[in-house]
Amino acid sequence: MLAAVGVMSAQPALAGKTVEPFIPVQTSTVASNGDVNPYGVAFVPNGFPKGGKTASGDVLVSNFNAGTSPTTQGTGMTIVSVTPDGVQTTFFQGTPPLGLTTALNVLKKGFVIVGNVPNNMGSPEQGSLIVLDKNGSQLTGSPLVDSTFLNGPWDSTVIDNGNSAIVFVSCVNNGTVTRLELTFSGGSVAIKSKVTIANGYKHRTDPTAFVLGPTGLAYDGKSDTLYVASTEDNAIYAIADAAKATTSNGKGTIVFADQTRLHGPLGLVLAPNGDLISSQGDAIMPDPNQQSEIVEFTKSGQFVTEFAVDSTIGAAFGIALDERKEAAVNFAAVNDTLNTVIVYDLSDK
């Protein structure tokens, strides 16, 4: 059991809670084909059609590495589904090499969107967005490929409009954030519009982390603000008018850049209380006393709390929140050192 510490907010999302597993154990994310290194994680929402290979309340996890020994980054091709009682099955297995990333979203109409950045002899390729149905089968028109607007889709977040969706994508290969409007018809998907809404984030390849650049995205619909976790910049930015912008806003405005608390921010979510929560990849300014940290902070830049998902460096990556109305708010985090996912119950105890 992990206890959150450092309370500095009246109603924090993590602090003051007993942060204990909702799934009884840290469930393995190693796929049946041996894929490892979990990156993306997403809850299956209410309204997801029944009868598929995953169901509302399950957790989906994407794998970045193939299971060969030694494992190679950017070659994983599977998404696994984990039930609330910890049963894991394979939801999707693609054609190698893929390198499925943190860009993982689940839509209520029964669609799953996942990004990939393949490894080409040590260098990240352009990649694409793959769109799947409830059975893990690709839709007609998938994968979505664009050398400008989908150049290394590293993370994503969505505005789910039913038969269409606004998808914000962080592109790790060119340091941009793009906005795509996707439309769904029958078993097909198409891009209706695309625009770059932010650019100028630092990005580079890395011998340990493979590639660094803009990663986690969290959207606040009330203010139409997109928050961006830029790993190499070691900062969190805010992009105004995210759903309406027709041109780039540069990097946006810095929200949080506490160099004591941030160590290469990766995953990013917006908590129900309005705070932001980010996982730290330890690729930038690593601190031996703060390894694999999950950090909560306000949108005004005030640190709230932190806790570790693992005592070793580089274990934290994708994070997600489950906000189904009939459920307590649950928080999922992958551990890519142990190749597990764990879901924490954030309800008041």
Side-chain angles (χ1 to χ4, degrees):
M1 182 183 298
L2 300 172
V5 296
V7 180
M8 294 181 63
S9 178
Q11 293 181 323
L14 297 178
K17 305 288 197 304
T18 300
V19 186
E20 66 177 331
F22 171 64
I23 290 178
V25 294
Q26 293 200 40
T27 304
S28 171
T29 57
V30 179
S32 57
N33 71 340
D35 278 3
V36 293
N37 203 11
Y39 265 28
V41 58
F43 285 94
V44 180
N46 278 345
F48 194 87
K50 297 180 180 179
K53 294 173 68 175
T54 192
S56 176
D58 290 353
V59 176
L60 295 185
V61 180
S62 54
N63 283 308
F64 190 60
N65 292 14
T68 55
S69 183
T71 64
T72 301
Q73 297 191 78
T75 55
M77 65 197 86
T78 52
I79 299 173
V80 298
S81 177
V82 179
T83 66
D85 56 0
V87 177
Q88 187 248 84
T89 56
T90 299
F91 173 76
F92 166 74
Q93 182 170 326
T95 302
L98 284 178
L100 299 184
T101 67
T102 325
L104 180 63
N105 305 109
V106 187
L107 306 182
K108 293 179 180 179
K109 284 283 189 178
F111 304 116
V112 175
I113 302 170
V114 64
N116 65 93
V117 178
N119 185 334
N120 182 6
M121 301 182 66
S123 297
E125 289 190 338
Q126 175 183 308
S128 65
L129 283 183
I130 298 171
V131 186
L132 310 166
D133 64 16
K134 66 179 183 179
N135 293 307
S137 299
Q138 292 193 47
L139 301 188
T140 302
S142 171
L144 304 174
V145 180
D146 192 292
S147 60
T148 299
F149 299 96
L150 290 172
N151 191 353
W154 204 231
D155 198 12
S156 59
T157 192
V158 299
I159 303 173
D160 188 348
N161 294 322
N163 291 323
S164 66
I166 302 296
V167 185
F168 299 101
V169 183
S170 56
C171 299
V172 73
N173 288 338
N174 60 9
T176 66
V177 174
T178 60
R179 187 189 70 229
L180 309 179
E181 183 178 1
L182 305 185
T183 58
F184 306 96
S185 178
S188 65
V189 60
I191 299 176
K192 181 178 180 180
S193 66
K194 48 193 176 182
V195 62
T196 297
I197 64 169
N199 72 300
Y201 302 109
K202 293 181 181 179
H203 57 99
R204 63 175 174 85
T205 58
D206 184 87
T208 301
F210 185 55
V211 63
L212 299 172
T215 307
L217 301 175
Y219 179 69
D220 184 351
K222 294 180 180 179
S223 62
D224 190 20
T225 301
L226 183 71
Y227 295 92
V228 182
S230 183
T231 308
E232 177 72 356
D233 288 296
N234 207 39
I236 311 296
Y237 294 85
I239 306 300
D241 301 320
K244 300 187 293 289
T246 57
T247 59
S248 174
N249 287 307
K251 288 184 178 181
T253 304
I254 288 183
V255 172
F256 191 68
D258 187 332
Q259 301 300 290
T260 301
R261 306 295 180 180
L262 292 181
H263 307 284
L266 294 171
L268 187 68
V269 295
L270 181 66
N273 69 344
D275 287 352
L276 291 161
I277 303 171
S278 174
S279 59
Q280 307 306 302
D282 301 320
I284 306 297
M285 298 182 65
D287 183 343
N289 298 314
Q290 299 180 74
Q291 297 183 147
S292 302
E293 292 292 299
I294 305 294
V295 179
E296 179 181 348
F297 47 91
T298 68
K299 288 182 286 189
S300 61
Q302 181 185 30
F303 168 72
V304 176
T305 191
E306 61 187 11
F307 73 94
V309 298
D310 196 285
S311 60
T312 62
I313 193 170
F317 211 115
I319 54 177
L321 281 170
D322 176 19
E323 298 180 54
R324 292 174 301 142
K325 290 183 178 179
E326 80 277 11
V329 175
N330 298 310
F331 177 82
V334 299
N335 182 327
D336 64 13
T337 295
L338 297 179
N339 295 301
T340 58
V341 62
I342 191 164
V343 180
Y344 301 99
D345 181 357
L346 299 188
S347 59
D348 291 318
K349 301 295 182 182

